[in-house]
Amino acid sequence: MRGTALSLALALIATGAQAAPSPEQVAEAALRAAPVWDGHNDVPEQLRDRYKNVIAGFDFRDTTNTADPAKGEIMMHTDLARLRKGHVGAQFWSVYVSALLPEPQAVQATLEQIDVTKRLIARYPNDMALCLTAADVEKAMKAGKIASLMGMEGGSSIGGSLAVLRQMYALGARYMTLTHFRNLAWADSATDAPKHDGLTDFGRDVVREMQRIGMIVDLSHVSEATMMDTLDVAKAPVMFSHSGARAVASHPRNVPDGVLDRLKANGGIVMVVTLPGYVSDEVRGWGNRRTAEKARLDEFYVNDPAAAKAGLEAWTKANPAPRSTLAQLADHIDHIVKRAGIDHVGLGGDFDGMGTTTQGMEDVAGYPALFAELAKRGYSQADLGKIASGNMLRVLKATEAYAAAHRADPPIESPTTF
């Protein structure tokens, strides 16, 4: 037997046969051919929170020196060097504003976030390009630049106005997440007590108008009823810019199987999030236990906050936080592929929008490790190319095609409220 094996090896060498490529090599080849198009990154939020949008002294080429423990600020997850290392070729930058803001302030803050994002992109013309269309993305990626698009996270950004929605599109916003963590007057959130059982009539008009003008409807953060109501109305593909599979991790922000089943017919995409509490039920359960312990200690030591703080530190030391893993992240992708198909999954890291990260995906440079894990599981280079950016490109092209076909349709009108 050993002689047979040796003879076979010598024969392979003699004929010039090559060993099969490693998973890392498959991942590298896939990402060079089709760089990652990430669905959600919160750098604009960091610019607002850390620098009040004054970025003259901010160096986006390297942000590894941005940790400031005195202010409770961790190192940023994103910079140009790490985007390059991670093979990120296109990015939806989230122009997020707090859902706690009154809607008139939310509209102003969103305009400011659009402005600072455009200013950031313009400062690095050799590395970044503002993109408004799928053709722009393809051109930028071909030129070796990071195609940069903008998405609004939360319908409070339009202040209950379809007119404002249209103007946000004119300024460059190419998707809108219908809600954030709170309900709106026209849509239910995944993390608030149900109020409307999904969308109101105005909420349905928001979906129709978004698709008429060519803005992608994003269903991350919305309730299951809102997801279903949107799919009832939608004629163009929808997206989940940063969500997981609920069958793998039960967070209400994740996408249930019933929605995945309908997503295939819609043509939409789930861009898998890396935020640990959405990736792993173990991580989410630990967070819930810590929150409960903090509430207990705060009540017990109501007149002694130092003792409450010390007690929580002791509990955390005795109960170290678990980490979500690359394997669990890949499990989400596996499930979505199994349920909806390979054409309906992408990646939406949520980097710079979270305080902890998945092990192996500590920043935007981590994507090659995830793709190597997927290659180990048998994903072909063609499959990996779809996950990286091919599927998102298809969704944007389909959104644009629907809008082009309905260009002659009149805008949906709604009365002003003041």
Side-chain angles (χ1 to χ4, degrees):
M1 181 68 71
R2 290 176 62 188
T4 302
L6 178 59
S7 298
L8 178 59
L10 290 172
L12 288 171
I13 293 170
T15 59
Q18 299 293 318
S22 69
E24 289 76 16
Q25 289 171 327
V26 173
E28 179 72 14
L31 291 173
R32 287 190 180 279
V36 170
W37 186 337
D38 184 291
H40 193 92
N41 185 296
D42 278 304
V43 160
E45 178 188 1
Q46 297 301 318
L47 300 181
R48 188 177 191 87
D49 290 348
R50 295 175 188 242
Y51 306 105
K52 307 302 180 188
N53 284 359
V54 178
I55 61 171
F58 174 70
D59 186 357
F60 196 42
R61 292 169 297 184
D62 181 1
T63 64
T64 55
N65 62 347
T66 51
D68 189 342
K71 295 181 179 178
E73 294 175 348
I74 63 172
M75 181 180 74
M76 288 179 64
H77 301 140
T78 312
D79 55 34
L80 293 175
R82 285 179 285 172
L83 286 166
R84 296 297 194 186
K85 187 176 180 180
H87 290 286
V88 177
Q91 181 68 68
F92 273 111
W93 302 105
S94 174
V95 291
Y96 161 82
V97 300
S98 173
L100 297 174
L101 289 174
E103 287 194 340
Q105 292 182 28
V107 172
Q108 176 182 330
T110 304
L111 294 173
E112 292 168 348
Q113 294 311 99
I114 289 174
D115 172 79
V116 75
T117 303
K118 288 182 174 180
R119 285 190 284 123
L120 180 70
I121 296 165
R123 285 182 61 188
Y124 300 95
N126 294 327
D127 293 288
M128 306 173 76
L130 179 65
C131 295
L132 302 177
T133 66
D136 289 344
V137 172
E138 291 180 300
K139 180 180 178 182
M141 291 175 74
K142 186 176 181 180
K145 298 182 181 183
I146 299 163
S148 295
L149 308 94
M150 294 180 289
M152 294 184 288
E153 188 176 18
S156 60
S157 289
I158 64 169
S161 168
L162 297 179
V164 173
L165 171 69
R166 289 187 286 268
Q167 295 312 304
M168 292 297 188
Y169 179 85
L171 291 171
R174 288 300 177 263
Y175 76 64
M176 183 174 74
T177 320
L178 296 187
T179 70
H180 197 240
F181 71 90
R182 301 176 74 189
N183 295 337
L184 297 174
W186 47 271
D188 282 344
S189 167
T191 48
D192 202 351
K195 183 178 180 182
H196 313 292
D197 192 28
L199 291 173
T200 67
D201 288 342
F202 178 78
R204 293 180 179 88
D205 278 346
V206 170
V207 171
R208 293 186 184 102
E209 190 66 352
M210 287 177 69
Q211 296 202 325
R212 185 192 71 82
I213 64 177
M215 184 183 287
I216 305 171
V217 178
D218 177 24
L219 297 178
S220 287
H221 283 291
V222 309
S223 71
E224 184 173 350
T226 300
M227 296 176 195
M228 290 296 192
D229 283 354
T230 300
L231 289 167
D232 287 343
V233 173
K235 304 297 183 184
V238 302
M239 73 185 296
F240 291 81
S241 65
H242 56 309
S243 293
R246 197 177 297 179
V248 179
S250 60
H251 197 289
R253 271 271 283 100
N254 286 339
V255 188
D257 281 351
V259 174
L260 290 176
D261 292 342
R262 295 189 64 186
L263 193 71
K264 184 173 183 177
N266 167 264
I269 185 172
V270 179
M271 309 190 84
V272 174
V273 68
T274 70
L275 197 154
Y278 302 157
V279 174
S280 165
D281 274 337
E282 184 183 11
V283 172
R284 182 181 174 223
W286 180 89
N288 290 341
R289 292 192 298 275
R290 185 180 184 278
T291 298
E293 180 65 9
K294 183 179 185 304
R296 186 189 72 81
L297 290 167
D298 286 346
E299 182 178 357
F300 190 81
Y301 294 108
V302 64
N303 295 315
D304 192 351
K309 180 180 178 182
L312 186 61
E313 289 173 352
W315 184 93
T316 303
K317 185 176 181 179
N319 299 273
R323 295 287 304 275
S324 54
T325 66
L326 273 178
Q328 290 173 321
L329 195 58
D331 289 343
H332 284 265
I333 294 171
D334 281 348
H335 184 81
I336 295 165
V337 169
K338 180 180 179 181
R339 196 84 191 198
I342 189 65
D343 295 323
H344 304 282
V345 63
L347 299 163
D350 202 15
F351 288 111
D352 280 305
M354 52 188 169
T356 59
T357 57
T358 291
Q359 192 169 10
M361 288 285 292
E362 282 77 14
D363 55 30
V364 295
Y367 282 113
L370 173 60
F371 277 78
E373 172 66 24
L374 295 174
K376 290 176 187 176
R377 297 183 180 208
Y379 287 82
S380 68
Q381 182 174 331
D383 290 339
L384 296 178
K386 288 184 175 184
I387 295 169
S389 52
N391 291 338
M392 187 62 239
L393 183 63
R394 174 190 57 77
V395 167
L396 183 54
K397 285 182 175 180
T399 301
E400 292 172 353
Y402 179 85
H406 292 269
R407 190 166 290 130
D409 294 358
I412 299 175
E413 295 188 316
S414 59
T416 56
T417 56
F418 62 89

